[in-house]
Amino acid sequence: MNEQMRHEFGAYYLYLAMSAWFARRNFNGFASWMRMQAREEESHAMKFFEYIDDRGGEVVLEALPKPKADWKNVLAVFEAAKGHEAKVSTGIHQLYALALAEKDYASQAMLQWFITEQVEEEKMSSQIVDTLRIIGDNSSGLLMYDRELGGRKKAE
Ligand code: FEO
């Protein structure tokens, strides 16, 4: 769980880097969306932090890898985010398999929340990637989508 907590903090850090990349290119809607997503990842990491502590475990905070800071285009950023979500899901599923094998019912219940959450996270990132593929090189489409994603009010 400490390792999964590190992945969630890693996602927080990666999405912050993505937000900075967007902001530097004046895609302020995508930047805002990604900053909210980063905050959501921090809250996921903290769920592990609190759970480890609640169960009498020791929270171990390892170093985070330096996130990638440059991408080819907007689509490449969201493709990378989608790929990262798939990796996060794999980690959650491995943890769940371990909790089953260990008959750790409390951890199974805790991880169920994440399994459901990852379905949403993967769906959301896939939808964004699909929309960006439709938009392609159309600048006005890209600017409209930037504005639309900028309308996200809170972490979902
Ligand atoms: Fe915490 Fe987006 O996975």
Side-chain angles (χ1 to χ4, degrees):
M1 285 203 174
N2 275 308
E3 185 59 20
Q4 189 64 29
M5 177 180 68
R6 193 173 74 95
H7 288 319
E8 302 285 350
F9 276 127
Y12 164 75
Y13 222 34
L14 175 66
Y15 294 167
L16 269 190
M18 289 173 170
S19 178
W21 188 92
F22 286 131
R24 207 159 59 238
R25 284 153 187 82
N26 265 320
F27 286 120
N28 295 317
F30 294 143
S32 161
W33 190 96
M34 208 46 102
R35 207 154 47 241
M36 278 187 206
Q37 193 59 29
R39 278 195 212 113
E40 190 169 323
E41 298 303 343
E42 188 216 1
S43 79
H44 293 170
M46 290 309 294
K47 274 188 198 287
F48 280 104
F49 182 106
E50 281 154 19
Y51 183 77
I52 292 166
D53 185 54
D54 285 350
R55 301 297 289 168
E58 189 175 349
V59 172
V60 180
L61 294 165
E62 301 285 357
L64 296 177
K66 183 177 179 182
K68 187 175 158 85
D70 201 14
W71 292 269
K72 189 173 63 179
N73 53 31
V74 171
L75 174 62
V77 181
F78 278 101
E79 278 176 337
K82 180 182 168 184
H84 195 80
E85 289 303 328
K87 269 195 244 165
V88 168
S89 294
T90 300
I92 298 284
H93 295 161
Q94 284 169 348
L95 270 181
Y96 192 78
L98 183 60
L100 279 179
E102 297 282 328
K103 295 190 166 50
D104 179 348
Y105 302 113
S107 294
Q108 288 171 31
M110 183 268 192
L111 291 165
Q112 281 285 354
W113 183 90
F114 278 96
I115 291 170
T116 307
E117 173 71 6
Q118 281 311 116
V119 171
E120 272 311 301
E121 298 265 287
E122 289 192 58
K123 179 179 148 194
M124 190 166 59
S125 56
S126 282
Q127 281 174 342
I128 294 173
V129 164
D130 288 350
T131 302
L132 286 169
R133 286 198 180 128
I134 292 166
I135 291 169
D137 290 335
N138 183 324
S139 330
S140 48
L142 203 53
L143 288 173
M144 275 171 63
Y145 198 42
D146 176 61
R147 187 178 293 183
E148 183 184 325
L149 287 198
R152 178 180 179 177
K153 290 285 181 277
K154 61 177 177 60
E156 287 159 356

